[in-house]
């Protein structure tokens, strides 16, 4: 049943067509006037036509939205609430902020959202009170959630925890159902942390008893004090899941409730075999590798075992002698991830014949000739297996052929009609992948074998049903696979390779237009230091750069400046490093103001972090399709940026200067200058301006022609200032939040509206609840 179908009337379609004709006509007039002489070329005359053009663009955007009814007038309120929950669901608890934004749409939305307490149960507490909206959002979530169970996400360390946050949360401790404590966003270790940082155990104890806590997730780099954590477990009798930081055997044996369903532990399997029968509800067990502090005890009575209800096992420990014993008493396992030797694997496979596995991940550790024997009595074939992961690393002094062992093992997936996802990771130079061609329904394939010298037959990778392909291989193999095989249904392509593996004189990567990638929707580009020279991808809409250096992003911008028709459907670009702003602006101005409507404008650009206002406003305008007043190309070029970048008297980190968004935030603890070393690479202007279609203007041609001269300034300063690189990141930019600039239009919200609404909620809360 279709609840609602948008409809454009003939009159609205006609209006849209007329506006498009006006837009194209105005573009032609602006282009001819810009090249004219005399009074017609006066700046005010050109500005008048650009203003007219911007007005037409706004009318076109408003018309193209169509007569979309408010969902609240079309959908039942229950369905509307379910849709909102799906949209704002966040593991980090930021849904309160999203809900406040949605409440600005109109008064009907606000009433519907405020009246549903289950929407407000996710509460996030940031790193201290540097975000001035934290307290209003916490107040809002606590009150509007009513008496519903709440889910806390805490960014640790929280230096304002004791004074401001604990008094707010403690009255609601009995409502805490799940608790996540995130690690510090920097890489500092426990011993490097400021002495005033609150510890994880202090956070847990300061909330008081948590009688209804069911799920605890500790993902901190700090080690938790065992005695203090044991005391906390005694105050949380109903806890059912503990993941992240790892329990010791003492805690598992003496403190953890026997009703536990999920936990992660450092305890050895020898120890656990004596106590696991007590946990009648345990469905997920994660055994981490032993810590240096955990003593190993052997128990002789581990044979007194009954069947366990385990459904998911993740075994990451080195000793695995008793793993067959555990496998033999867990017949309900359907999700297994194990670190294992060939010898132990040969022992457990026959025990798994009747398993109905859905996910199977093997991490083979080669330890020596006696541990690397693989001669199983039986190799089962898992009919319902959906996902298979194979990792093979370590020494290679086995007494039997490793190729034969791998081929024997792959019988478990050979000719599988259910397998949809396969991951192969190895450091071997030669490994047979012939099994892939037998997987008729494979949809997602990952090959991570950077040392592999060749594949016996590329045809084994030919899977016409493949939708997602990830390649982390040597350059020549990536090139052959992408340009030789045909993937008509491929939607996602992820390419990665180390810079040092590319031949010095061959740093271009061209995707052959004859390889039938007609359905390719997105590319993740991790070919470091390699020129973007990719053409004829008619369906490509998203490209994400995973290289933090400038060369690839700069070459991409120049390629799109010269040949926007190469990727006519491209709408979204994600940068892991700030691009050269002059090249980005020129690319957007050429593409988004084309006469040819078959080339889609770029509407969304993602940056690694926030950017300065001088860059932000023009960028948002260009993405919306409007003419903007911006700084000159020289003002935002790399040559201008590097003058301030290498000036030691100016504050700011690498990200501050590259984004023209300098701040006075302190440099993060533990950050070294070496971290920015790999970012500051010398640049080369690789371009052929004669291939431009449509042709470049004289101004654009002259600017791009002198690109290498600007690079020479950058390269010279890198050589001269090698020992005075800027710190990599400050506390503002280390948060890792991507900054999105978009031309898509949603609600027309004023800048300070969110803050105003948040303060209104705070005012309401102060009147109805004694939280202060």
């Amino acid at each position: 049943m279709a609840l609602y179908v948008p409809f454009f009337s003939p009159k609205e379609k006609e209006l849209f067509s007329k506006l498009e004709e006006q837009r194209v006509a105005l573009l032609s007039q602006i282009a001819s006037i810009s090249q004219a002489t005399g009074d017609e070329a006066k700046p005010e005359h050109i500005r008048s036509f650009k203003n007219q053009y911007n007005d037409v663009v706004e009318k076109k955007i408003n018309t193209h939205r169509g007569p979309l009814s408010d969902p609240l007038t079309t959908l039942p309120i229950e369905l509307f609430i379910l849709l909102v929950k799906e949209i704002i669901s966040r593991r980090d608890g930021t849904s309160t902020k999203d809900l406040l934004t949605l409440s600005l749409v109109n008064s009907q939305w606000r009433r519907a959202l405020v009246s549903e307490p289950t929407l407000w149960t996710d509460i996030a507490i940031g790193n201290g009170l540097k975000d001035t909206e934290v307290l209003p959002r916490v107040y809002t979530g606590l009150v509007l959630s009513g008496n519903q169970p709440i889910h806390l996400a805490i960014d640790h360390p929280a230096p304002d925890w004791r004074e401001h946050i604990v008094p707010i949360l403690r009255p609601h401790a009995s409502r805490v159902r799940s608790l996540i404590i995130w690690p510090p966003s920097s890489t500092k270790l426990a011993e490097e942390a400021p002495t005033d940082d609150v510890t994880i155990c202090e956070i847990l104890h300061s909330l008081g008893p948590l009688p209804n806590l069911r799920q605890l997730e500790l993902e901190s780099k700090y080690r938790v004090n065992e005695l203090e954590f044991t005391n906390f477990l005694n105050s949380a009798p109903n806890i059912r899941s503990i993941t992240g930081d790892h329990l010791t055997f003492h805690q598992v044996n003496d403190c953890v409730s026997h009703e536990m369903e999920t936990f992660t532990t450092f305890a050895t399997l020898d120890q656990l075999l004596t106590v696991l029968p007590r946990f009648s509800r345990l469905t997920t067990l994660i055994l981490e590798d032993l810590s240096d502090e955990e003593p190993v005890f052997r128990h002789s009575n581990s044979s007194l075992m009954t069947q366990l209800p385990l459904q998911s096992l993740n075994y990451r420990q080195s000793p695995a002698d008793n793993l067959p014993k555990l496998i033999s008493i867990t017949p309900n396992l359907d999700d297994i991830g194990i670190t294992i030797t060939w010898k132990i694997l040969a022992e457990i496979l026959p025990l798994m014949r009747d398993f109905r596995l859905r996910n199977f991940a093997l991490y083979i550790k080669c330890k020596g000739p006696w541990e690397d024997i693989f001669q199983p009595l039986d190799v089962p074939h898992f009919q319902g297996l959906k996902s298979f992961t194979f990792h093979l690393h370590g020494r290679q002094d086995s007494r039997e052929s490793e190729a034969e062992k791998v081929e024997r093992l792959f019988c478990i997936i050979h000719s599988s009609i259910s397998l949809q996802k396969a991951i192969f990771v190895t450091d071997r130079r030669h490994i047979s992948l012939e099994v892939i061609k037998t997987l008729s329904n494979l949809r997602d394939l990952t090959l991570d074998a950077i040392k592999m010298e060749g594949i016996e037959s590329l045809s084994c990778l030919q899977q016409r049903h493949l939708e997602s392909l990830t390649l982390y291989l040597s350059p020549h193999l990536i090139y052959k696979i992408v340009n030789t095989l045909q993937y008509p249904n491929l939607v996602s392509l992820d390419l990665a390779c180390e810079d040092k593996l590319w031949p010095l004189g061959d740093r271009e990567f061209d995707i052959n237009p004859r390889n039938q990638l007609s359905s390719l929707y997105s590319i993740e580009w991790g070919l470091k230091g390699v020129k973007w020279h990719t053409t004829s991808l008619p369906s490509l809409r998203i490209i994400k750069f995973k290289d933090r250096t400038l060369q690839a992003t700069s070459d991409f911008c120049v390629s799109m400046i010269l040949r926007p028709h190469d990727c006519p459907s491209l709408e979204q670009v994600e940068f892991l490093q700030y691009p050269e702003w002059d090249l980005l602006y020129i690319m957007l101005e050429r593409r988004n103001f084309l006469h040819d409507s078959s080339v889609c404008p770029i509407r969304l650009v993602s940056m690694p972090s926030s950017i300065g206002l001088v860059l932000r406003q023009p960028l948002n305008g260009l993405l919306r399709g409007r003419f903007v007043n911006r700084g000159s190309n020289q003002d935002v070029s790399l040559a201008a940026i590097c003058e301030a970048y290498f000036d030691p008297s100016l504050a700011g980190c690498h990200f501050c200067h590259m984004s023209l968004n300098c701040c006075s935030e302190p440099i993060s603890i533990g950050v070294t200058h070496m971290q920015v070393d790999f970012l500051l690479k010398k640049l080369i202007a690789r371009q052929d301006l004669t291939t431009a279609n449509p042709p470049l203007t004289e101004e654009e041609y002259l600017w791009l022609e002198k690109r290498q001269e600007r690079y020479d300034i950058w390269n010279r300063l890198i050589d001269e200032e090698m020992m005075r690189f800027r710190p990599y990141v400050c506390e503002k930019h280390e948060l890792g939040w991507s900054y999105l600039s978009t031309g898509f239009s949603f609600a027309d919200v004023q800048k300070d509206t969110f803050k105003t609404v948040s303060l209104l909620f705070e005012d309401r809360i102060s009147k109805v609840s004694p939280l202060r």
Side-chain angles (χ1 to χ4, degrees):
M1 180 182 68
L3 293 174
Y4 182 74
V5 178
F7 175 74
F8 294 92
S9 68
K11 184 177 180 180
E12 289 163 334
K13 292 180 180 178
E14 182 182 0
L15 175 59
F16 185 81
S17 298
K18 287 182 178 179
L19 289 171
E20 176 62 15
E21 291 175 2
Q22 292 180 33
R23 185 190 75 85
V24 174
L26 282 169
L27 268 181
S28 299
Q29 288 179 288
I30 292 170
S32 59
I33 291 173
S34 299
Q35 298 174 2
T37 58
D39 293 340
E40 286 188 356
K42 288 183 177 179
E44 58 270 17
H45 196 56
I46 298 175
R47 191 180 306 115
S48 173
F49 274 92
K50 288 183 176 181
N51 289 336
Q52 293 180 49
Y53 179 89
N54 288 344
D55 291 339
V56 171
V57 168
E58 290 299 320
K59 290 178 182 178
K60 183 183 172 185
I61 290 174
N62 292 329
T63 303
H64 194 54
R65 288 175 182 166
L68 298 176
S69 301
D70 189 324
L72 273 177
T73 65
T74 308
L75 303 176
I77 182 66
E78 295 83 2
L79 184 54
F80 174 78
I81 294 299
L82 287 175
L83 291 174
V84 171
K85 284 183 179 180
E86 183 67 24
I87 293 170
I88 57 94
S89 177
R90 298 288 188 275
R91 188 164 175 264
D92 59 0
T94 55
S95 59
T96 301
K97 182 177 181 179
D98 296 336
L99 286 168
L100 288 171
T101 304
L102 289 176
S103 71
L104 304 177
V105 174
N106 56 45
S107 59
Q108 283 183 303
W109 281 49
R110 185 155 50 251
R111 285 194 295 270
L113 297 175
V114 170
S115 63
E116 180 53 52
T118 59
L119 288 174
W120 302 89
T121 57
D122 294 332
I123 298 173
I125 298 171
N127 188 354
L129 299 181
K130 295 175 183 177
D131 179 358
T132 57
E133 300 290 336
V134 167
L135 283 181
R137 284 200 297 267
V138 173
Y139 283 131
T140 301
L142 289 174
V143 170
L144 295 184
S145 60
N147 293 320
Q148 295 291 321
I150 58 177
H151 310 279
L152 290 180
I154 301 172
D155 187 2
H156 180 247
D160 302 291
W161 176 262
R162 304 179 185 90
E163 182 180 355
H164 296 97
I165 301 176
V166 170
I168 302 172
L169 290 177
R170 185 172 285 167
H172 301 268
S174 62
R175 289 203 288 140
V176 177
R177 180 65 57 87
S178 69
L179 175 60
I180 300 176
I181 301 181
W182 296 96
S185 51
S186 69
T187 57
K188 57 190 177 185
L189 302 175
E191 58 270 17
E192 298 172 339
T195 55
D196 61 341
D197 273 358
V198 61
T199 66
I200 288 180
C201 286
E202 284 182 282
I203 290 177
L204 296 174
H205 285 297
S206 61
L207 291 172
L210 299 174
N212 295 309
L213 182 68
R214 306 276 297 186
Q215 180 178 352
L216 175 65
E217 184 172 344
L218 300 177
E219 295 196 357
S220 176
K221 289 182 171 62
Y222 299 113
R223 288 300 308 277
V224 176
N225 180 277
E226 182 175 342
L227 179 60
E228 293 181 357
F229 190 62
T230 299
N231 293 335
F232 163 75
L233 291 176
N234 292 329
S235 68
N238 290 312
I239 196 166
R240 296 293 179 267
S241 173
I242 302 177
T243 57
D245 210 295
H246 319 306
L247 301 172
T248 64
F249 173 71
H250 167 70
Q251 291 166 336
V252 172
N253 189 37
D254 299 335
C255 306
V256 174
S257 167
H258 294 168
E259 301 297 311
M260 189 71 69
E261 298 170 1
T262 301
F263 64 76
T264 305
T265 178
F266 277 132
T268 66
L269 186 54
D270 291 309
Q271 296 168 334
L272 286 177
L273 286 174
T274 64
V275 298
L276 283 179
R278 305 176 194 171
F279 298 93
S280 59
R281 296 176 180 269
L282 188 65
T283 59
T284 302
L285 176 63
I286 303 172
L287 279 73
E288 280 290 352
D289 204 358
L290 294 174
S291 70
D292 294 334
E293 303 169 10
E294 181 71 12
V296 177
F297 298 101
R298 297 283 176 179
H299 294 267
S300 58
N301 60 343
S302 59
S303 59
L304 304 176
M305 295 292 296
T306 58
Q307 286 192 353
L308 300 177
L310 273 182
Q311 297 176 9
S312 177
L313 171 65
N314 197 326
Y315 187 88
R316 304 168 185 168
Q317 295 184 356
S318 295
D321 294 345
N322 276 328
L323 187 57
K325 189 174 298 183
L326 178 62
I327 295 294
S328 66
I329 59 173
T330 52
N332 297 321
L333 281 174
D334 61 9
D335 186 349
I336 298 180
I338 50 178
T339 301
I340 198 168
T341 63
W342 284 110
K343 180 181 177 181
I344 301 299
L345 180 60
E347 294 181 32
I348 70 170
L349 282 179
L351 303 174
M352 299 167 61
R353 166 161 288 281
D354 297 327
F355 281 21
R356 297 181 179 180
L357 285 184
R358 292 181 299 106
N359 304 306
F360 192 21
L362 286 172
Y363 303 85
I364 307 294
K365 296 186 69 173
C366 299
K367 302 182 65 176
W370 297 109
E371 293 292 330
D372 290 348
I373 299 174
F374 183 65
Q375 297 177 351
L377 298 176
D378 184 20
V379 178
H381 186 268
F382 301 114
Q383 295 288 344
L385 194 64
K386 299 292 185 183
S387 173
F388 177 70
T389 300
F390 176 73
H391 284 238
L392 177 61
H393 291 275
R395 57 197 297 177
Q396 300 182 60
D397 56 355
S398 174
R399 295 183 172 224
E400 59 179 326
S401 168
E402 194 165 64
E404 293 180 2
K405 289 188 293 188
V406 171
E407 185 177 356
R408 203 175 306 144
L409 172 64
F410 285 172
C411 288
I412 64 179
I413 60 171
H414 193 279
S415 301
S416 172
I417 60 174
S418 61
L419 194 70
Q420 296 183 0
K421 182 177 182 179
I423 300 174
F424 300 92
V425 183
T426 182
D427 61 356
R428 302 300 191 252
R429 295 184 180 275
H430 301 281
I431 187 171
S432 175
L433 297 175
E434 292 294 317
V435 69
I436 294 176
K437 67 182 179 182
T438 70
L439 308 174
S440 57
N441 285 314
L442 191 64
R443 297 292 190 270
D444 188 339
L445 174 63
T446 296
L447 295 179
D448 183 348
I450 199 66
K451 293 183 180 180
M452 186 179 292
E453 296 179 346
I455 297 175
E456 295 176 3
S457 172
L458 285 179
S459 62
C460 72
L461 302 180
Q462 181 68 68
Q463 285 289 349
R464 299 186 66 85
H465 295 291
L466 204 63
E467 297 173 356
S468 177
L469 178 61
T470 299
L471 300 175
Y472 187 25
L473 303 169
S474 61
H476 72 279
L477 279 181
I478 293 179
Y479 190 86
K480 285 183 179 180
I481 292 171
V482 174
N483 284 297
T484 303
L485 305 182
Q486 296 182 358
Y487 299 108
N489 295 317
L490 194 67
V491 175
S492 173
L493 180 60
D494 186 347
L495 305 176
C497 183
E498 293 294 338
D499 186 9
K500 61 185 178 181
L501 295 179
W502 284 87
L504 292 177
D506 183 18
R507 290 181 175 266
E508 288 190 6
F509 189 91
D510 186 8
I511 293 182
N512 192 324
R514 296 190 301 273
N515 64 348
Q516 297 188 18
L517 291 176
S518 57
S519 300
L520 191 63
Y521 187 89
S522 70
I523 286 182
E524 293 194 32
W525 188 268
L527 303 178
K528 298 181 179 180
V530 181
K531 180 180 179 180
W532 170 275
H533 193 262
T534 302
T535 60
S536 190
L537 295 175
S539 300
L540 185 68
R541 291 183 177 272
I542 301 172
I543 178 168
K544 179 179 180 180
F545 287 95
K546 300 189 296 183
D547 186 1
R548 290 186 179 273
T549 59
L550 273 172
Q551 189 71 63
T553 57
S554 298
D555 288 337
F556 163 77
C557 289
V558 172
S559 178
M560 290 296 99
I561 290 172
L562 300 179
R563 298 179 306 280
H565 295 83
D566 287 351
C567 303
S569 302
L570 188 64
E571 288 185 330
Q572 181 174 329
V573 184
E574 300 181 27
F575 294 109
L576 196 59
Q577 173 61 275
Y578 293 111
E580 293 186 60
W581 299 105
D582 53 324
L583 299 181
L584 178 64
Y585 284 153
I586 295 173
M587 179 188 76
L588 294 175
E589 287 167 345
R590 278 175 60 83
R591 185 185 185 95
N592 290 7
F593 299 138
L594 277 178
H595 295 72
D596 188 354
S597 59
S598 66
V599 177
C600 179
I602 291 177
R603 292 302 190 202
L604 188 145
V605 174
S606 172
M607 300 295 173
S609 189
S610 60
I611 59 178
L613 187 63
V614 67
L615 299 172
R616 190 185 317 155
Q617 291 181 337
L619 181 58
N620 290 339
L622 290 172
L623 292 173
R624 196 172 173 81
R626 297 167 55 93
F627 285 101
V628 297
N629 293 320
R630 66 173 179 87
S632 68
N633 289 331
Q634 178 62 40
D635 291 340
V636 295
S637 69
L638 199 59
I641 289 176
C642 69
E643 292 180 7
Y645 188 101
F646 291 105
D647 185 347
S649 65
L650 299 178
C653 67
H654 169 84
F655 284 95
C656 287
H657 283 265
M658 297 302 290
S659 63
L660 299 183
N661 188 26
C662 296
C663 63
S664 56
E665 293 288 338
I667 301 303
S668 294
I669 298 176
V671 170
T672 67
H673 292 266
M674 295 301 294
Q675 289 176 286
V676 84
D677 193 5
F678 71 96
L679 296 179
L680 299 185
K681 302 290 186 181
K682 293 185 178 181
L683 300 173
I684 304 173
R686 301 180 290 208
Q687 60 197 22
D688 182 2
L689 302 183
T690 61
T691 63
N693 180 27
L696 298 168
T697 65
E698 182 179 359
E699 181 183 359
E700 291 167 344
Y701 188 93
L702 292 174
W703 180 254
L704 293 176
E705 189 180 38
K706 297 181 178 179
R707 184 173 159 219
Q708 186 59 54
E709 295 180 11
R710 296 188 293 276
Y711 285 175
D712 289 340
I713 299 174
W714 173 261
N715 296 339
R716 176 177 55 81
L717 287 173
I718 287 179
D719 284 336
E720 294 177 355
E721 306 292 337
M722 183 64 71
M723 301 307 297
R724 290 200 293 176
F725 284 157
R726 288 202 165 270
Y728 176 55
V729 66
C730 63
E731 290 188 359
K732 176 179 180 179
H733 288 102
E734 76 166 338
L735 296 176
W737 295 336
S738 295
Y739 179 81
L740 299 180
S741 295
T742 180
F744 294 112
S745 181
F746 304 101
D748 185 15
V749 182
Q750 297 181 359
K751 294 180 181 178
D752 297 329
T753 308
F754 170 74
K755 187 174 182 179
T756 303
V757 172
S758 186
L759 292 175
L760 287 173
F761 276 126
E762 182 182 355
D763 182 62
R764 171 190 166 183
I765 291 166
S766 65
K767 295 178 181 178
V768 299
S769 177
L771 293 177
R772 294 180 183 275

